[in-house]
Amino acid sequence: LVSVNGPVVGKTGNLELSPAPIQPNVSTAVWQADSIEVSGGFKSTFQFRIVRAPGDVNAAAGIAFVIQGLGSGAVGAPNSAIGYGGLRDSVAIEFDTHLDPVVGDKNDNHVG
């Protein structure tokens, strides 16, 4: 079970996190609905695909796999913060698809 915050479209068992047309300055979050104890380690498997819609010049900055303790209503800052910026007591693995030198990006295709 998941908890969804923000614009999401469900298609054939998949979630489209930034449905067209892209809404600027908007974050979307999808969380595991129940808390999971991670102090002893954990394993997670997921698949994702980042696709730019034809003609879309306002594509999202990427996605992040985030572990946070704020609960299923948490949503972080958008844009270069990739939806997790400002989430206290969190750790993230970001899949960044936008070059933003202001935050130290070296290119527009990296994992951080």
Side-chain angles (χ1 to χ4, degrees), residues 73-89:
V75 180
N79 303 324
S80 60
I82 310 184
Y84 70 90
L87 294 181
R88 294 179 292 104
D89 302 323

Side-chain angles (χ1 to χ4, degrees), residues 9 27 32 56 75-76 83 101:
V9 174
S27 290
Q32 170 72 30
D56 186 1
V75 180

Side-chain angles (χ1 to χ4, degrees), residues 28-40:
T28 299
V30 178
W31 302 112
Q32 170 72 30
D34 299 321
S35 295
I36 298 172
E37 178 59 49
V38 297
S39 63

